[in-house]
């Protein structure tokens, strides 16, 4: 479906970004080599034209590489959104089947049982602490009397 098509476009843009990046590197290296050769000896206008055309080609390829890298990142984000949307659709299907109702019922009963057991354990610990306080009070009362 659309996820597979987007994946193909994403990785194609990644490949093109890499391709244009390497082309920009080779053009910038070529421009640097021409400039070095020009500074070493000749100062003809033909050499200056070669340097500027190689530099402009390198800038053009760098621009294209950046555009394709940005497209790659945007497609990665859109694929994440598609996957999230798929989960929402599946949740809606479960809701229509009535399964969500049963899951909610199970979770409520589990939480209710857990809260009841907490209340029971708290009441037991409270009654023990009350008994301890009563026995301490009786001991203190015996010591005074």
């Amino acid at each position: 479906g659309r996820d597979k098509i987007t994946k193909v476009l994403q990785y194609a843009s990644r490949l093109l970004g890499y391709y244009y990046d390497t082309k920009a590197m080779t053009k910038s290296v070529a421009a640097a080599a021409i400039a070095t050769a020009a500074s070493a000896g000749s100062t003809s206008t033909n050499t200056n034209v070669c340097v500027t055309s190689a530099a402009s080609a390198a800038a053009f390829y760098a621009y294209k590489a950046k555009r394709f890298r940005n497209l790659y990142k945007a497609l990665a984000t859109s694929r994440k959104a598609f996957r999230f949307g798929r989960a929402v659709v599946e949740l809606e299907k479960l809701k229509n089947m009535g399964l969500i109702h049963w899951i909610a019922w199970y979770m409520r009963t589990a939480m209710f049982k857990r809260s009841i057991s907490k209340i029971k354990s708290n009441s037991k610990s409270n009654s023990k602490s009350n008994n301890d306080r009563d026995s301490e009070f009786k001991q203190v009362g015996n010591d005074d009397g």
Side-chain angles (χ1 to χ4, degrees), residues 11-62:
Y11 286 109
S13 66
R14 188 180 206 180
L15 176 70
L16 287 170
Y18 174 75
Y19 171 75
Y20 283 120
D21 224 4
T22 55
K23 293 267 292 183
M25 293 280 253
T26 56
K27 289 292 182 180
S28 64
V29 167
I34 293 170
T36 306
S39 66
S42 69
T43 56
S44 68
T45 57
N46 191 19
T47 309
N48 291 338
V49 169
C50 288
V51 170
T52 54
S53 67
S56 65
F60 172 74
Y61 287 135

Side-chain angles (χ1 to χ4, degrees), residues 123-142:
S123 66
K124 287 180 183 177
S125 66
N126 285 342
S127 66
K128 285 181 183 177
S129 64
N130 286 342
N131 289 339
D132 293 342
R133 273 189 259 131
D134 289 344
S135 63
E136 288 175 11
F137 181 71
K138 288 178 184 175
Q139 290 173 356
V140 170
N142 289 339

Side-chain angles (χ1 to χ4, degrees), residues 4-5 23 27 50 54-55 58 60 66 73 76 86 91 95 111 121 123 134-135 143:
K4 290 180 183 177
I5 292 169
K23 293 267 292 183
K27 289 292 182 180
C50 288
F60 172 74
K66 183 179 178 184
K73 291 174 186 174
R86 192 176 343 154
L91 191 62
K95 182 181 173 188
M111 288 173 51
S121 67
S123 66
D134 289 344
S135 63
D143 289 342

